[in-house]
Amino acid sequence: MKKLRRRFLLLLTVFIVIVGFGSWLILIHFIPSLAFYDYPLIPLFFYTVGIVSIYILTGLKIDKPNKLLNTFMLIRGIKMFLAIVMATTYWLLDRAEIRSFAIMLVAFYLCYLFLETYIYIKIETWNKKNLPPMYKKEGS
């Protein structure tokens, strides 16, 4: 599982660099009216949430069939709540740029959902291959 965790952390880092930097370039070159100074907060937020999610999901001891799914959904709910808190805080601190911030936050959130789902599927597949037989029967 440690090798899988390292692979996910590398994938997350590449994703954040490509999507974060790419969306920033698109923003400043094609939609400069939406560019704002605090843009790096968004990739930093998703990078932090991603690292925590990967460590939680890869560190689970699967003793019940739906434990991974339940934890994954809980992490998604917490991430959504934290994103709303972040947007609300930004709105309170900088009302002039909230439109741009919210648009980019939602766009990044949607892109991140694909990565998060891919990671979940890979962990689920790994667990099915590597769990003892007694757990495989319960989950089938």
Side-chain angles (χ1 to χ4, degrees), residues 51-93:
I51 289 172
V52 172
S53 298
I54 289 169
Y55 271 91
I56 290 172
L57 291 173
T58 57
L60 277 179
K61 293 189 187 328
I62 306 296
D63 55 351
K64 295 179 185 164
N66 290 330
K67 188 171 186 176
L68 182 63
L69 178 62
N70 291 342
T71 304
F72 177 68
M73 295 309 290
L74 179 66
I75 289 171
R76 275 194 165 183
I78 291 170
K79 180 184 54 146
M80 185 179 293
F81 175 74
L82 290 175
I84 291 170
V85 167
M86 187 170 95
T88 303
T89 303
Y90 194 83
W91 175 68
L92 292 172
L93 296 175

